[in-house]
Amino acid sequence: MDRAEAEAIYDSGRDACVQFILDLASRVRQLDERLGRLEAQARQDSRTSSRPPSSDPPRTRAQRRAEARAKAKELMRGERERREPGGQPGHRGAGRDLKPEDQVDEIVDHYPDACGGCGRGFDDGQRRPGGRFGRHQVCELPPIGVIVTEHRTHQLRCRHCRARTSAGLPVEIGGSVFGPRLQAAVVTLTARHRISRRGICELAGDLFGVTVCTGAVDAICQRASDALAGPHCQLQDWVLDQGAVHVDETGWRTSGDARALWTATTPQATFLQIAEHCNREQFNALIGAYPGIVISDRWVGFEHLDPHQRQVCWSHIQRDFRRHAEGLAEQKTFGEQGLELTRRVFRAWRAFQHEHHDRDRLKAEIAQVQTELRTLLEDASPKSKRTRWHRRFANNLLKVWPALWTFLTVDGVQPTNNPAERALRAPVIHRKVSLGTQSENGERFAERALSAAATCRLQRRSLFTYLTELITAHTRGDPFLALA
């Protein structure tokens, strides 16, 4: 606007000037709110939002590393000692134990050639095993080769009717040209180690000396998917029979289309399911009328859950308080106070887990935190200009207040949803490496194989051994082996 336009508005009268000022003030208010939102978005990173660490700009990662180094130096100064690299005093070592003699395949005796004192040589009669000797064991792979077995089906003629009859292949070998152990190895490399179809073909040739094409690898995966169908359904039923379950979801892709990968996790098992949508209906289809405690974040799709049968994740609460602590004015004070309260919650929980195991003491230590947090949230909840940036978060916590403290009274309930986050970590890496799946059959294989891999890891169970036994039983028509 130039001077002539401003004078024209002034000359048009008092009402026109007042209206112009009101319009200008409204515009300034809108721009101010927009600027605040943009500044808040610019401050967000993996520590203050749901963004992955890989999305942080390089400068932010460098700053975070510098802060970690400064904190470590401060810790060392507080301890008044310089920590050397490696394991610290009291750390339990992870040395390799020597195998007993009955598990050793070959023993090679070594004797000295000459005396270390006078240099006189030892003769053959002196080279006999003594009562004391050093032990050094070397583990080595034998030459690996696939055992190729040719099954010949002969034809015989009946002496009476002169008809010819050909022999049939046994059920356990007639379904595939690859044995169950080789099939289990292929699925293990895919599900656990995220090797691509083409990479498996190369590994099979280099390690096993067998030629496998990408189509054969995919056929093996589909047969394994059929074998895993029963254990996968049984796993879902078993997980939902537990008293508490961790639930979370993340994105997935099938032929470029958006999907949702859901997980329901317990300390002994992980159930994964790829669904078309990420909404409340899909969540209800996953767990049904679940009577136990649901541990999750504060996503809107979980709002229909009873707060008394729910535990919200304190790691997400800590992250949100950290985001507000990086704000301005009263928002910053609110975030800093809340951040200190979350630290006290985690400090009390760690002491309960690793030191005293006294639930009454845990409740007593948390009681003061509950009082202070309630006051903090109620002060921030009224609608006013000074609370406009954080009152929504405060009201959200007040709405689910009972779900903040379920871990105090129910055994087996944790204050965080970290088990579900960890359960999704490997599938997310798998999705990024493989770019998702290409068909519905690929979705079924991915959710079943990844569920089996995650569950076997939680149970410290060999995935390869389980798949070998499962594929063998499935080929014979025997009952399937349960995952949990």
Side-chain angles (χ1 to χ4, degrees):
M1 176 181 294
D2 55 18
R3 183 178 180 84
E5 292 175 337
E7 290 178 349
I9 295 174
Y10 180 77
D11 294 338
S12 61
R14 181 173 181 273
D15 292 340
C17 290
V18 171
Q19 185 61 41
F20 177 77
I21 293 173
L22 291 176
D23 294 341
L24 187 62
S26 176
R27 179 64 175 167
V28 170
R29 183 169 58 254
Q30 294 175 2
L31 292 175
D32 184 54
E33 292 178 355
R34 181 182 180 186
L35 178 62
R37 289 195 300 268
L38 293 175
E39 288 179 344
Q41 292 176 4
R43 290 194 300 266
Q44 289 183 1
D45 56 19
S46 60
R47 298 171 63 250
T48 59
S49 68
S50 59
R51 296 178 180 178
S54 59
S55 67
D56 292 346
R59 183 180 178 185
T60 303
R61 290 200 296 269
Q63 290 175 343
R64 190 168 64 250
R65 294 192 191 101
E67 292 174 0
R69 286 194 296 268
K71 186 175 181 180
K73 291 179 180 178
E74 182 181 354
L75 179 62
M76 286 191 293
R77 284 196 298 269
E79 295 176 352
R80 295 182 180 179
E81 63 178 7
R82 183 172 180 80
R83 296 173 57 185
E84 297 295 331
Q88 303 304 308
H91 170 70
R92 180 178 295 178
R96 181 180 297 279
D97 296 330
L98 294 175
K99 292 185 177 296
E101 189 172 326
D102 58 349
Q103 297 182 17
V104 175
D105 298 300
E106 182 183 8
I107 296 177
V108 180
D109 294 314
H110 299 272
Y111 299 96
D113 295 326
C115 175
C118 64
R120 183 177 180 178
F122 294 108
D123 56 30
D124 294 339
Q126 291 179 284
R127 297 181 179 181
R128 295 191 302 269
R132 300 177 61 184
F133 48 83
R135 300 180 67 196
H136 175 72
Q137 295 182 352
V138 177
C139 299
E140 175 61 300
L141 282 174
I144 302 176
V146 173
I147 300 174
V148 180
T149 304
E150 180 177 332
H151 297 267
R152 299 181 176 180
T153 55
H154 293 277
Q155 189 179 76
L156 298 178
R157 174 178 289 178
C158 178
R159 294 181 178 179
H160 297 283
C161 66
R162 311 300 293 173
R164 288 185 174 274
T165 304
S166 299
L169 291 173
V171 176
E172 59 269 20
I173 65 173
S176 174
V177 297
F178 303 106
R181 290 176 60 83
L182 182 56
Q183 295 183 57
V186 167
V187 178
T188 301
L189 290 172
T190 298
R192 171 64 60 79
H193 304 289
R194 300 180 284 275
I195 306 298
S196 66
R197 303 289 196 267
R198 193 172 301 279
I200 290 176
C201 296
E202 296 174 357
L203 279 176
D206 294 340
L207 296 181
F208 310 139
V210 61
T211 302
V212 184
C213 65
T214 56
V217 172
D218 191 68
I220 290 173
C221 293
Q222 290 305 316
R223 281 194 291 271
S225 178
D226 295 339
L228 284 165
H232 190 251
C233 292
Q234 181 270 338
L235 180 65
Q236 181 181 18
D237 295 338
W238 187 90
V239 167
L240 297 180
D241 283 339
Q242 308 308 302
V245 62
H246 296 261
V247 177
D248 202 1
E249 58 81 28
T250 188
W252 191 266
R253 289 280 174 180
T254 297
S255 298
D257 296 332
R259 295 287 189 273
L261 176 64
W262 290 85
T263 183
T265 303
T266 69
Q268 295 82 27
T270 293
F271 175 79
L272 297 165
Q273 184 181 73
I274 299 174
E276 187 174 357
H277 301 291
C278 173
N279 52 31
R280 180 183 299 181
E281 290 73 18
Q282 193 63 58
F283 167 72
N284 291 334
L286 174 67
I287 70 168
Y290 179 64
I293 305 297
V294 175
I295 308 167
S296 66
D297 55 23
R298 303 188 315 280
W299 177 55
V300 65
F302 302 136
E303 287 184 350
H304 66 290
L305 296 175
D306 183 357
H308 296 87
Q309 288 187 295
R310 183 184 177 193
Q311 172 65 54
V312 299
C313 179
W314 272 88
S315 291
H316 287 74
I317 295 175
Q318 184 181 47
R319 185 188 68 191
D320 291 336
F321 272 125
R322 185 181 294 114
R323 173 171 57 85
H324 290 295
E326 295 180 358
L328 301 172
E330 188 146 341
Q331 181 190 14
K332 179 180 178 65
T333 303
F334 170 81
E336 290 175 344
Q337 293 178 357
L339 202 56
E340 178 57 30
L341 292 175
T342 59
R343 293 192 185 104
R344 289 166 59 183
V345 170
F346 284 121
R347 194 179 306 124
W349 174 254
R350 284 192 294 268
F352 168 75
Q353 275 189 310
H354 305 297
E355 297 176 11
H356 56 80
H357 307 290
D358 186 347
R359 191 166 290 276
D360 291 334
R361 178 178 169 183
L362 173 65
K363 294 178 183 178
E365 292 175 350
I366 296 292
Q368 184 62 30
V369 177
Q370 290 176 303
T371 302
E372 296 180 23
L373 181 61
R374 186 86 185 191
T375 302
L376 178 67
L377 298 178
E378 289 178 347
D379 290 344
S381 62
K383 186 176 181 180
S384 67
K385 187 175 181 180
R386 64 182 181 83
T387 62
R388 57 178 175 170
W389 300 114
H390 56 279
R391 64 170 176 263
R392 182 178 179 182
F393 170 62
N395 285 319
N396 179 271
L397 291 187
L398 290 173
K399 184 178 180 181
V400 296
W401 180 259
L404 300 180
W405 316 107
T406 307
F407 72 95
L408 296 177
T409 57
V410 181
D411 290 332
V413 174
Q414 303 181 25
T416 69
N417 199 28
N418 291 345
E421 301 279 353
R422 286 192 294 267
L424 289 177
R425 190 172 302 157
V428 166
I429 299 174
H430 183 95
R431 180 199 69 202
K432 291 184 176 182
V433 172
S434 64
L435 303 180
T437 48
Q438 300 300 318
S439 64
E440 184 176 349
N441 289 336
E443 290 181 355
R444 302 289 79 76
F445 168 74
E447 65 186 15
R448 294 167 184 174
L450 293 175
S451 296
T455 300
C456 287
R457 173 168 288 174
L458 289 175
Q459 299 174 359
R460 299 184 181 277
R461 186 177 180 183
S462 170
L463 175 63
F464 171 73
T465 301
Y466 170 76
L467 289 174
T468 300
E469 296 174 352
L470 176 68
I471 293 173
T472 301
H474 180 73
T475 304
R476 292 176 177 174
D478 297 338
F480 64 80
L481 283 72
L483 275 167

